[in-house]
DNA sequence: GACTGTGAAGCCATTCACAGCT
DNA sequence: AGCTGTGAATGGCTTCACAGTC
């Protein structure tokens, strides 16, 4: 495992490969070639091999990859061989949806804590998790060994909430608010802007006008 | 306007720039330099200038860009100088959240039609839009001149729904289901996998174990 | 014969650096 | 003096092509 610098695009594809492999396991397939995976997820076979090569030699020349084995490797590489407790801040429309979204749980992401500042939301339940006031952040992070935070508050509150997360010892933040956030180098930050994706479609449609 | 081949990354950044400029307009700022924008959104100033250069010369040497003017150009380039009617299929957790999400409306994306197959959901309202049966798809697309579809159905139904969208004349699809979809070349497809983003964080956290 | 793993080549996006304008 | 616009240089990801292995 020479982990020097892995392209982010590679990591994202590994995630996609792992989902495809899971599908193959369900179908009872025992072996795949890089070409099969490539076809299944829409990339080139060379790309698949190169991506895997960053992490080791998982296949057998002339044969391919054992599905269950490769799946296990990928899940381990992605850090998905464990459950991640997550704190979600902002129980509005988007936050509620994410809290209830099954897709996270399926991949081992457990939203164990949901916080908000709105008294009307505090005390309500999303699934079986109760919305609590922002003040308990530090305690919950410690208790549940939380390292990942999801920010779904309005733009105006985003930086303040982020500072608190950092303060509480959170190591990685997924930001859904449309605000550029400042975090120390030691904290990993990813931004997701749902509108951007529609805007790329809009751009492409608008091209031929 | 030489629109030969615009990097997708550029389009995504333009979207971010436009949001930043909107913020500046609110603050009453009249002029910005590429350096200001760069600082505001977290890229290099050369990057900002290169991105803009794909579409024309919007600035004044020695001065910078007029905020309102540049904003107008970007919105036009992104196709956001118009309202886009959108059909959303799948009124589950995620679909409901997206239907109610304010961020889309703010950028001119109007979810005018929401469809589902579940009788329990049909007839209910999300905001002021009623959930209707999938069968009315073709009619609604025609009536409302819909060109964009958003897919938030379970993976097992995703390809079927996609085929129907294509059939109905939809030109661009935003897919939130974790399934590789097949569409004709004439249809633009973008995939959003919410879990992938968490998995990239997970990967990076798991690196130093 | 089939398929992996990988150096080399190709390609594309970003950064550099500076001429050109105000 | 300040800042844009852009060719040239750089860096990094993807594709090619083939030796190596089963």
């Amino acid at each position: 495992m020479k982990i020097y610098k892995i392209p982010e695009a590679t990591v994202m594809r590994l995630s996609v490969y792992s989902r495809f492999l899971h599908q193959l396991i369900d179908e009872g397939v025992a072996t795949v070639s890089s070409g099969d995976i490539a076809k299944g997820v829409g990339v080139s076979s060379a790309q698949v091999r190169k991506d895997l090569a960053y992490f080791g030699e998982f296949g057998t020349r002339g044969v391919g990859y054992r599905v269950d084995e490769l799946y296990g490797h990928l899940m381990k590489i992605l850090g998905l061989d464990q459950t991640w407790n997550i704190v979600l801040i902002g129980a509005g429309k988007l936050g509620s949806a994410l809290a209830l979204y099954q897709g996270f749980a399926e991949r081992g992401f457990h939203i164990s804590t949901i916080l908000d500042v709105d008294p009307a939301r505090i005390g309500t339940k999303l699934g079986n998790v109760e919305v609590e006031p922002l003040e308990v952040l530090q305690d919950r992070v410690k208790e549940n060994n939380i390292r990942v935070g999801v920010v779904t508050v309005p733009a105006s509150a985003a930086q303040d909430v982020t500072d608190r997360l950092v303060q509480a010892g959170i190591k990685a933040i997924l930001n859904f608010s449309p605000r550029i956030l400042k975090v120390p180098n030691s904290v990993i930050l990813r931004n997701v802007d749902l509108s951007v994706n529609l805007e790329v479609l809009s751009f492409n449609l608008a091209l031929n006008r």
Side-chain angles (χ1 to χ4, degrees), chain A:
Chain A
M1 275 219 202
K2 44 167 182 190
I3 304 173
Y4 207 65
K5 187 68 188 100
I6 313 294
E8 183 171 293
T10 290
V11 178
M12 297 180 76
R13 281 190 298 268
L14 292 183
S15 167
V16 176
Y17 301 161
S18 73
R19 246 182 287 282
F20 180 68
L21 292 174
H22 187 74
Q23 202 176 304
L24 293 185
I25 291 174
D26 284 348
E27 294 169 6
V29 179
T31 310
V32 272
S33 67
S34 59
D36 295 335
I37 299 175
K39 207 167 205 177
V41 307
V43 301
S44 73
S45 64
Q47 182 78 81
V48 173
R49 294 197 298 278
K50 252 298 190 300
D51 285 339
L52 298 178
Y54 280 107
F55 302 94
E57 307 191 0
F58 304 124
T60 309
R61 293 172 194 229
V63 180
Y65 307 86
R66 284 202 47 196
V67 175
D68 54 357
E69 199 179 294
L70 183 56
Y71 177 75
H73 280 302
L74 291 186
M75 291 304 271
K76 179 119 194 245
I77 290 167
L78 291 168
L80 300 178
D81 54 342
Q82 62 182 293
T83 297
W84 294 88
N85 283 334
I86 293 183
V87 54
L88 185 149
I89 308 200
K93 299 279 165 45
L94 189 57
S96 305
L98 294 181
L100 298 169
Y101 181 53
Q102 288 305 312
F104 291 152
E106 281 165 17
R107 302 289 285 182
F109 297 106
H110 174 231
I111 297 179
S112 61
T113 305
I114 305 174
L115 309 178
D116 204 308
V117 291
D118 184 350
R121 288 176 187 156
I122 294 168
T124 62
K125 281 206 159 190
L126 291 171
N128 50 16
V129 181
E130 188 177 320
V131 180
E132 300 180 277
L134 193 46
E135 285 69 34
V136 304
L137 173 61
Q138 188 108 13
D139 293 344
R140 294 293 173 276
V141 168
K142 293 253 156 64
E143 288 164 19
N144 301 314
N145 189 31
I146 302 176
R147 292 159 75 194
V148 179
V150 176
V151 174
T152 53
V153 299
S156 57
Q159 184 62 58
D160 176 54
V161 158
T162 301
D163 293 342
R164 286 166 184 255
L165 284 170
V166 171
Q167 186 71 34
I170 289 293
K171 293 295 175 224
I173 296 175
L174 190 60
N175 172 42
F176 282 86
S177 85
R179 191 43 147 278
I180 312 303
L181 298 179
K182 288 206 176 14
V183 296
N185 286 341
S186 59
V187 174
I188 308 166
L189 173 68
R190 280 186 73 80
N191 298 294
V192 180
D193 190 324
L194 294 175
S195 298
V196 165
N197 290 293
L198 275 180
E199 291 177 27
V200 174
L201 292 181
S202 164
F203 169 83
N204 284 294
L205 287 176
L207 266 187
N208 354 334
R209 270 195 305 202

